[in-house]
mmCIF file of all heavy atoms in Angstrom:
data_model
loop_
_atom_site.group_PDB
_atom_site.id
_atom_site.type_symbol
_atom_site.label_atom_id
_atom_site.label_comp_id
_atom_site.label_asym_id
_atom_site.label_seq_id
_atom_site.Cartn_x
_atom_site.Cartn_y
_atom_site.Cartn_z
ATOM 1 N N ASN O 207 85.997 72.330 123.648
ATOM 2 C CA ASN O 207 85.984 73.717 124.110
ATOM 3 C C ASN O 207 85.090 73.888 125.324
ATOM 4 O O ASN O 207 84.515 74.947 125.545
ATOM 5 C CB ASN O 207 85.571 74.657 122.969
ATOM 6 C CG ASN O 207 84.161 74.362 122.483
ATOM 7 O OD1 ASN O 207 83.552 73.368 122.896
ATOM 8 N ND2 ASN O 207 83.652 75.221 121.618
ATOM 9 N N ASP O 208 85.005 72.824 126.085
ATOM 10 C CA ASP O 208 84.154 72.830 127.266
ATOM 11 C C ASP O 208 84.905 73.462 128.438
ATOM 12 O O ASP O 208 85.418 72.776 129.322
ATOM 13 C CB ASP O 208 83.756 71.371 127.567
ATOM 14 C CG ASP O 208 82.828 71.281 128.769
ATOM 15 O OD1 ASP O 208 82.255 72.327 129.147
ATOM 16 O OD2 ASP O 208 82.698 70.171 129.325
ATOM 17 N N ASN O 209 85.001 74.774 128.430
ATOM 18 C CA ASN O 209 85.714 75.489 129.501
ATOM 19 C C ASN O 209 85.152 76.894 129.631
ATOM 20 O O ASN O 209 84.271 77.298 128.854
ATOM 21 C CB ASN O 209 87.220 75.512 129.204
ATOM 22 C CG ASN O 209 87.506 76.053 127.809
ATOM 23 O OD1 ASN O 209 87.031 77.126 127.448
ATOM 24 N ND2 ASN O 209 88.254 75.291 127.017
ATOM 25 N N ALA O 210 85.679 77.649 130.576
ATOM 26 C CA ALA O 210 85.116 78.961 130.899
ATOM 27 C C ALA O 210 85.090 79.912 129.711
ATOM 28 O O ALA O 210 84.217 80.774 129.616
ATOM 29 C CB ALA O 210 85.904 79.584 132.055
ATOM 30 N N GLN O 211 86.069 79.778 128.799
ATOM 31 C CA GLN O 211 86.131 80.714 127.678
ATOM 32 C C GLN O 211 85.526 80.150 126.397
ATOM 33 O O GLN O 211 85.494 80.842 125.377
ATOM 34 C CB GLN O 211 87.594 81.129 127.425
ATOM 35 C CG GLN O 211 88.220 81.807 128.638
ATOM 36 C CD GLN O 211 89.639 82.305 128.352
ATOM 37 O OE1 GLN O 211 89.827 83.279 127.642
ATOM 38 N NE2 GLN O 211 90.623 81.623 128.907
ATOM 39 N N GLY O 212 85.078 78.877 126.451
ATOM 40 C CA GLY O 212 84.517 78.249 125.249
ATOM 41 C C GLY O 212 85.536 78.171 124.119
ATOM 42 O O GLY O 212 85.191 78.279 122.940
ATOM 43 N N GLU O 213 86.812 78.004 124.478
ATOM 44 C CA GLU O 213 87.878 77.956 123.468
ATOM 45 C C GLU O 213 88.536 76.579 123.442
ATOM 46 O O GLU O 213 88.484 75.836 124.413
ATOM 47 C CB GLU O 213 88.967 78.992 123.813
ATOM 48 C CG GLU O 213 88.556 80.420 123.551
ATOM 49 C CD GLU O 213 89.685 81.407 123.799
ATOM 50 O OE1 GLU O 213 90.817 80.949 124.116
ATOM 51 O OE2 GLU O 213 89.440 82.614 123.680
ATOM 52 N N TYR O 214 89.174 76.293 122.312
ATOM 53 C CA TYR O 214 89.986 75.070 122.242
ATOM 54 C C TYR O 214 91.375 75.415 122.763
ATOM 55 O O TYR O 214 92.141 76.097 122.091
ATOM 56 C CB TYR O 214 90.041 74.560 120.798
ATOM 57 C CG TYR O 214 88.685 74.123 120.293
ATOM 58 C CD1 TYR O 214 87.848 75.028 119.640
ATOM 59 C CD2 TYR O 214 88.234 72.814 120.495
ATOM 60 C CE1 TYR O 214 86.586 74.643 119.205
ATOM 61 C CE2 TYR O 214 86.985 72.418 120.052
ATOM 62 C CZ TYR O 214 86.161 73.337 119.414
ATOM 63 O OH TYR O 214 84.914 72.952 118.983
ATOM 64 N N TYR O 215 91.649 74.976 123.976
ATOM 65 C CA TYR O 215 92.906 75.316 124.638
ATOM 66 C C TYR O 215 94.031 74.367 124.208
ATOM 67 O O TYR O 215 93.918 73.152 124.370
ATOM 68 C CB TYR O 215 92.782 75.136 126.155
ATOM 69 C CG TYR O 215 91.917 76.111 126.909
ATOM 70 C CD1 TYR O 215 91.524 75.791 128.215
ATOM 71 C CD2 TYR O 215 91.511 77.334 126.374
ATOM 72 C CE1 TYR O 215 90.753 76.663 128.963
ATOM 73 C CE2 TYR O 215 90.735 78.209 127.127
ATOM 74 C CZ TYR O 215 90.350 77.869 128.416
ATOM 75 O OH TYR O 215 89.591 78.721 129.159
ATOM 76 N N LEU O 216 95.110 74.934 123.773
ATOM 77 C CA LEU O 216 96.290 74.102 123.492
ATOM 78 C C LEU O 216 96.793 73.444 124.782
ATOM 79 O O LEU O 216 97.289 72.321 124.780
ATOM 80 C CB LEU O 216 97.402 74.983 122.897
ATOM 81 C CG LEU O 216 98.738 74.302 122.633
ATOM 82 C CD1 LEU O 216 98.593 73.186 121.609
ATOM 83 C CD2 LEU O 216 99.771 75.328 122.156
ATOM 84 N N THR O 217 96.614 74.164 125.873
ATOM 85 C CA THR O 217 97.131 73.692 127.161
ATOM 86 C C THR O 217 96.515 72.371 127.616
ATOM 87 O O THR O 217 97.090 71.659 128.429
ATOM 88 C CB THR O 217 96.860 74.761 128.222
ATOM 89 O OG1 THR O 217 95.514 75.236 128.035
ATOM 90 C CG2 THR O 217 97.811 75.922 128.065
ATOM 91 N N ASP O 218 95.352 72.034 127.055
ATOM 92 C CA ASP O 218 94.706 70.777 127.443
ATOM 93 C C ASP O 218 95.500 69.548 127.013
ATOM 94 O O ASP O 218 95.255 68.442 127.508
ATOM 95 C CB ASP O 218 93.279 70.700 126.871
ATOM 96 C CG ASP O 218 92.313 71.605 127.634
ATOM 97 O OD1 ASP O 218 92.728 72.142 128.686
ATOM 98 O OD2 ASP O 218 91.172 71.772 127.179
ATOM 99 N N VAL O 219 96.452 69.731 126.093
ATOM 100 C CA VAL O 219 97.227 68.557 125.660
ATOM 101 C C VAL O 219 98.067 67.980 126.803
ATOM 102 O O VAL O 219 98.419 66.804 126.784
ATOM 103 C CB VAL O 219 98.136 68.855 124.430
ATOM 104 C CG1 VAL O 219 97.301 69.312 123.235
ATOM 105 C CG2 VAL O 219 99.240 69.853 124.757
ATOM 106 N N VAL O 220 98.341 68.805 127.818
ATOM 107 C CA VAL O 220 99.137 68.296 128.942
ATOM 108 C C VAL O 220 98.378 67.181 129.667
ATOM 109 O O VAL O 220 98.889 66.073 129.850
ATOM 110 C CB VAL O 220 99.521 69.431 129.925
ATOM 111 C CG1 VAL O 220 100.188 68.868 131.169
ATOM 112 C CG2 VAL O 220 100.428 70.445 129.232
ATOM 113 N N ALA O 221 97.138 67.487 130.033
ATOM 114 C CA ALA O 221 96.329 66.472 130.734
ATOM 115 C C ALA O 221 96.115 65.240 129.847
ATOM 116 O O ALA O 221 96.080 64.104 130.336
ATOM 117 C CB ALA O 221 94.996 67.077 131.159
ATOM 118 N N MET O 222 95.986 65.457 128.551
ATOM 119 C CA MET O 222 95.802 64.325 127.628
ATOM 120 C C MET O 222 97.033 63.433 127.598
ATOM 121 O O MET O 222 96.918 62.201 127.622
ATOM 122 C CB MET O 222 95.543 64.832 126.207
ATOM 123 C CG MET O 222 94.167 65.426 126.041
ATOM 124 S SD MET O 222 94.027 66.005 124.331
ATOM 125 C CE MET O 222 92.305 66.406 124.284
ATOM 126 N N ALA O 223 98.205 64.067 127.563
ATOM 127 C CA ALA O 223 99.443 63.291 127.548
ATOM 128 C C ALA O 223 99.558 62.477 128.828
ATOM 129 O O ALA O 223 99.933 61.299 128.805
ATOM 130 C CB ALA O 223 100.647 64.226 127.392
ATOM 131 N N VAL O 224 99.215 63.106 129.952
ATOM 132 C CA VAL O 224 99.287 62.412 131.236
ATOM 133 C C VAL O 224 98.301 61.237 131.242
ATOM 134 O O VAL O 224 98.640 60.116 131.632
ATOM 135 C CB VAL O 224 99.009 63.396 132.406
ATOM 136 C CG1 VAL O 224 98.897 62.650 133.738
ATOM 137 C CG2 VAL O 224 100.116 64.457 132.471
ATOM 138 N N ALA O 225 97.089 61.493 130.729
ATOM 139 C CA ALA O 225 96.086 60.422 130.669
ATOM 140 C C ALA O 225 96.553 59.270 129.784
ATOM 141 O O ALA O 225 96.234 58.107 130.030
ATOM 142 C CB ALA O 225 94.759 60.983 130.160
ATOM 143 N N ASP O 226 97.322 59.596 128.767
ATOM 144 C CA ASP O 226 97.866 58.556 127.880
ATOM 145 C C ASP O 226 99.036 57.813 128.525
ATOM 146 O O ASP O 226 99.648 56.947 127.904
ATOM 147 C CB ASP O 226 98.370 59.175 126.554
ATOM 148 C CG ASP O 226 97.234 59.591 125.635
ATOM 149 O OD1 ASP O 226 96.059 59.291 125.960
ATOM 150 O OD2 ASP O 226 97.515 60.236 124.609
ATOM 151 N N GLY O 227 99.388 58.227 129.746
ATOM 152 C CA GLY O 227 100.453 57.526 130.460
ATOM 153 C C GLY O 227 101.849 58.069 130.205
ATOM 154 O O GLY O 227 102.845 57.415 130.516
ATOM 155 N N HIS O 228 101.936 59.261 129.661
ATOM 156 C CA HIS O 228 103.258 59.841 129.391
ATOM 157 C C HIS O 228 103.721 60.742 130.523
ATOM 158 O O HIS O 228 102.920 61.315 131.249
ATOM 159 C CB HIS O 228 103.221 60.701 128.113
ATOM 160 C CG HIS O 228 102.865 59.925 126.891
ATOM 161 N ND1 HIS O 228 103.664 58.936 126.386
ATOM 162 C CD2 HIS O 228 101.776 59.999 126.077
ATOM 163 C CE1 HIS O 228 103.090 58.439 125.292
ATOM 164 N NE2 HIS O 228 101.939 59.067 125.098
ATOM 165 N N LEU O 229 105.033 60.852 130.625
ATOM 166 C CA LEU O 229 105.627 61.836 131.529
ATOM 167 C C LEU O 229 105.818 63.117 130.730
ATOM 168 O O LEU O 229 106.438 63.102 129.669
ATOM 169 C CB LEU O 229 107.008 61.350 131.967
ATOM 170 C CG LEU O 229 107.115 60.622 133.285
ATOM 171 C CD1 LEU O 229 108.569 60.280 133.564
ATOM 172 C CD2 LEU O 229 106.559 61.482 134.415
ATOM 173 N N VAL O 230 105.289 64.211 131.234
ATOM 174 C CA VAL O 230 105.455 65.479 130.529
ATOM 175 C C VAL O 230 106.661 66.208 131.110
ATOM 176 O O VAL O 230 106.765 66.387 132.317
ATOM 177 C CB VAL O 230 104.179 66.342 130.635
ATOM 178 C CG1 VAL O 230 104.384 67.692 129.965
ATOM 179 C CG2 VAL O 230 102.993 65.603 130.031
ATOM 180 N N GLU O 231 107.564 66.583 130.228
ATOM 181 C CA GLU O 231 108.768 67.298 130.666
ATOM 182 C C GLU O 231 108.480 68.787 130.790
ATOM 183 O O GLU O 231 107.532 69.302 130.194
ATOM 184 C CB GLU O 231 109.898 67.102 129.651
ATOM 185 C CG GLU O 231 110.532 65.730 129.671
ATOM 186 C CD GLU O 231 111.262 65.433 130.975
ATOM 187 O OE1 GLU O 231 111.594 66.392 131.702
ATOM 188 O OE2 GLU O 231 111.475 64.229 131.265
ATOM 189 N N SER O 232 109.364 69.470 131.545
ATOM 190 C CA SER O 232 109.228 70.921 131.552
ATOM 191 C C SER O 232 110.591 71.557 131.709
ATOM 192 O O SER O 232 111.539 70.926 132.167
ATOM 193 C CB SER O 232 108.310 71.374 132.685
ATOM 194 O OG SER O 232 108.890 71.042 133.920
ATOM 195 N N MET O 233 110.662 72.760 131.290
ATOM 196 C CA MET O 233 111.869 73.556 131.478
ATOM 197 C C MET O 233 111.403 74.887 132.033
ATOM 198 O O MET O 233 110.359 75.399 131.637
ATOM 199 C CB MET O 233 112.566 73.762 130.153
ATOM 200 C CG MET O 233 113.982 74.215 130.318
ATOM 201 S SD MET O 233 114.530 75.041 128.856
ATOM 202 C CE MET O 233 114.130 76.696 129.209
ATOM 203 N N THR O 234 112.189 75.422 132.951
ATOM 204 C CA THR O 234 111.722 76.585 133.679
ATOM 205 C C THR O 234 112.705 77.737 133.591
ATOM 206 O O THR O 234 113.909 77.527 133.535
ATOM 207 C CB THR O 234 111.527 76.187 135.158
ATOM 208 O OG1 THR O 234 110.408 75.321 135.210
ATOM 209 C CG2 THR O 234 111.247 77.373 136.030
ATOM 210 N N THR O 235 112.157 78.933 133.596
ATOM 211 C CA THR O 235 113.017 80.101 133.680
ATOM 212 C C THR O 235 112.482 81.051 134.753
ATOM 213 O O THR O 235 111.308 80.994 135.110
ATOM 214 C CB THR O 235 113.085 80.848 132.330
ATOM 215 O OG1 THR O 235 113.907 82.001 132.482
ATOM 216 C CG2 THR O 235 111.714 81.298 131.858
ATOM 217 N N GLY O 236 113.357 81.879 135.254
ATOM 218 C CA GLY O 236 112.931 82.923 136.179
ATOM 219 C C GLY O 236 112.988 84.272 135.481
ATOM 220 O O GLY O 236 112.709 85.310 136.066
ATOM 221 N N ASP O 237 113.354 84.229 134.209
ATOM 222 C CA ASP O 237 113.492 85.467 133.442
ATOM 223 C C ASP O 237 112.144 85.837 132.831
ATOM 224 O O ASP O 237 111.767 85.356 131.777
ATOM 225 C CB ASP O 237 114.538 85.267 132.337
ATOM 226 C CG ASP O 237 114.709 86.492 131.455
ATOM 227 O OD1 ASP O 237 113.987 87.507 131.670
ATOM 228 O OD2 ASP O 237 115.549 86.443 130.544
#
Side-chain angles (χ1 to χ4, degrees):
N207 62 352
D208 182 17
N209 53 52
Q211 300 184 73
E213 287 184 3
Y214 295 91
Y215 290 165
L216 176 62
T217 44
D218 285 351
V219 300
V220 173
M222 287 179 171
V224 172
D226 286 353
H228 298 295
L229 264 182
V230 177
E231 286 295 340
S232 64
M233 197 203 91
T234 290
T235 178
D237 178 358

